[in-house]
Amino acid sequence: MAELSVAHRMALAQVVEGVPDRTLRQLSLAVSGMPGDKARALEAMLAAESIDRVRRARGFAALTPLFRPRADGIEAMTFPPGVLPRLWKIASSREPNLLPLLDDDDEREIARTTAVCVRLYAAAAAAVRDRPAEVWPAALGDPAKRETGLEDLAHCCDFGGLVYRALPSLKAWVGRPNGDQVAELRLLVRDASEMLPDGAERLMDILFAHLADASLVLRLMIHASTSASRGNLLSESELAVFIDRLVAGLEGRCARIVAFRIGDGPEGLKDDLEWCAEVFKEIEATVHLDREGDWGKRLREVRVRIGKRLGELLSGVTKLVDKATPMHKVQTSGRMTRKAPHLELPLDAATVQSAKDALKMVGLVRSFAGAFGCESQRLALVQSLTVHLSSYADLIIEDVNSGDAPDETQAIDRAAMMADLLEQIDALTEARAIRRRTAVAGGPAPMKLSA
């Protein structure tokens, strides 16, 4: 079978360059089992692309996070993902002899790898300035942001070598750095400031892209400056933008929490509450903000709005559970009555699901209610619901065992449903007790003696 033509190779190269890493691996596996010369040629192209991507990941390690949006949605400096492979292709073509040196991940060769990366970042900066149309075509991303984006990208490449050497220390800087590590960070910030007037902010922007937890940038800020922990000085600093981003992120999450309704899916509410609680905790631990300043007022408003909405959600749970556990009055003797489960009343699936969603929400917010002043309300609700659901199941089982249940199987199923509901609020002991009782409930009704 003939080899691939030049036209085929060019077309395939464009396709291969655009596929995700996972798809590339799947293609490589699939092609490896195909016969023929064309399959071998395609297999070689896929292997070369895989090697090139590994080299790109290592060679552009300082810059790669800038080419994807932050998972937490916080505003950050980013560039279109399609720019990265174009930039790498041009920069690496200028230093082809250095690329094989990136294949060796021996820690003893760190100095050599660093030197290679520094050369590649310099080549990338030159590519952005010399060949902007090839690096970032007008069709990629927002055209209105392209000019400033190209300038930012060139400066990021200028800082690439500085950041690459700093990456091994990033974990220590956002933890509990010792004196030498703090001095190293401050020296890095000074070097960045000497490169550009706004070098400190640009440096933090790149390091920020490497932090999955956005609030950890606050630790970088306070370690980088002796005055950064004081809000009045920080508000006048070039690093104030990171506080603004975190506060804006809190306001965005707060809006989602306020808009939450039972049935929307409590996992999203849990994630938003967890994120907000962690950011509040980090801000309070690292930065002393003026309570009457702009940041202080905005943070206080966010906390109040979240606490109010969470309280409203918790207050509405009992009503939803009551709909799933209907009661009615039954006559016992004479004019005496008591309340008993209304087993003859059918329950629609929507009513049961609403109760489950509500209780799941109560269970999921357990770790975060305290941060917004609602833990005592949540705890009282859990205790009340535990008693109610357990008692409701007990009454059903009593009716089953006494032979008073209109439909024994349906009644046992409804009692078992109470165990399901209890598990949503982590009342596991009570849930297990109900399951044990339902397992042995029923059987022959006891003989009733006539008077």
Side-chain angles (χ1 to χ4, degrees), residues 161-237:
L162 200 65
V163 174
Y164 185 84
R165 287 189 288 263
L167 288 180
S169 301
L170 184 58
K171 185 177 180 180
W173 291 336
V174 297
R176 295 185 176 181
N178 57 37
D180 291 340
Q181 291 165 333
V182 170
E184 180 189 5
L185 174 59
R186 291 179 181 174
L187 180 61
L188 179 72
V189 172
R190 189 192 70 182
D191 290 343
S193 299
E194 290 176 353
M195 292 174 64
L196 284 174
D198 61 348
E201 182 181 342
R202 290 186 181 275
L203 172 68
M204 287 293 177
D205 254 323
I206 301 174
L207 294 178
F208 184 54
H210 287 268
L211 298 174
D213 185 347
S215 64
L216 292 181
V217 73
L218 299 174
R219 302 188 188 184
L220 282 179
M221 292 163 55
I222 65 168
H223 293 319
S225 171
T226 56
S227 61
S229 62
R230 285 179 281 174
N232 58 338
L233 294 177
L234 181 58
S235 63
E236 301 172 1
S237 164

Side-chain angles (χ1 to χ4, degrees), residues 10-25:
M10 292 179 62
L12 285 171
Q14 290 182 344
V15 173
V16 168
E17 287 177 4
V19 300
D21 292 344
R22 181 180 179 182
T23 305
L24 184 65
R25 290 192 294 270

Side-chain angles (χ1 to χ4, degrees), residues 81 89 103 136 180 201 233 256 280 288 358 436 445:
K89 186 175 182 179
D103 298 338
W136 190 334
D180 291 340
E201 182 181 342
L233 294 177
R256 292 213 299 255
F280 271 116
H288 305 300
R436 285 196 298 269

Side-chain angles (χ1 to χ4, degrees), residues 41-277:
L42 178 56
E43 185 178 13
M45 290 178 63
L46 294 172
E49 177 66 19
S50 297
I51 293 172
D52 190 62
R53 291 192 185 189
V54 171
R55 290 173 176 174
R56 184 180 74 194
R58 185 166 296 157
F60 271 10
L63 304 180
T64 300
L66 295 170
F67 294 90
R68 56 177 178 260
R70 290 190 60 86
D72 55 20
I74 295 297
E75 180 188 351
M77 180 171 60
T78 58
F79 307 104
V83 171
L84 178 61
R86 292 172 176 272
L87 180 61
W88 169 255
K89 186 175 182 179
I90 298 172
S92 61
S93 67
R94 295 186 177 190
E95 302 285 357
N97 296 330
L98 297 179
L99 299 184
L101 299 178
L102 295 173
D103 298 338
D104 188 355
D105 58 357
D106 191 337
E107 293 185 0
R108 292 172 296 183
E109 301 297 339
I110 290 179
R112 187 183 68 181
T113 303
T114 301
V116 171
C117 291
V118 169
R119 290 273 294 274
L120 288 169
Y121 294 132
V128 175
R129 294 184 172 100
D130 298 342
R131 301 162 66 177
E134 296 177 50
V135 172
W136 190 334
L140 276 180
D142 186 351
K145 299 179 180 179
R146 181 173 177 272
E147 290 302 318
T148 56
L150 282 166
E151 182 181 356
D152 289 337
L153 180 56
H155 288 314
C156 286
C157 293
D158 291 333
F159 280 85
L162 200 65
V163 174
Y164 185 84
R165 287 189 288 263
L167 288 180
S169 301
L170 184 58
K171 185 177 180 180
W173 291 336
V174 297
R176 295 185 176 181
N178 57 37
D180 291 340
Q181 291 165 333
V182 170
E184 180 189 5
L185 174 59
R186 291 179 181 174
L187 180 61
L188 179 72
V189 172
R190 189 192 70 182
D191 290 343
S193 299
E194 290 176 353
M195 292 174 64
L196 284 174
D198 61 348
E201 182 181 342
R202 290 186 181 275
L203 172 68
M204 287 293 177
D205 254 323
I206 301 174
L207 294 178
F208 184 54
H210 287 268
L211 298 174
D213 185 347
S215 64
L216 292 181
V217 73
L218 299 174
R219 302 188 188 184
L220 282 179
M221 292 163 55
I222 65 168
H223 293 319
S225 171
T226 56
S227 61
S229 62
R230 285 179 281 174
N232 58 338
L233 294 177
L234 181 58
S235 63
E236 301 172 1
S237 164
E238 69 275 11
L239 301 181
V241 64
F242 295 101
I243 298 288
D244 285 331
R245 291 177 186 177
L246 289 175
V247 174
L250 284 167
E251 290 171 336
R253 301 264 182 160
C254 175
R256 292 213 299 255
I257 292 169
V258 170
F260 177 83
R261 298 291 182 271
I262 299 296
D264 289 349
E267 290 81 5
L269 175 68
K270 173 181 176 292
D271 291 342
D272 286 337
L273 287 171
E274 181 178 16
W275 191 89
C276 291

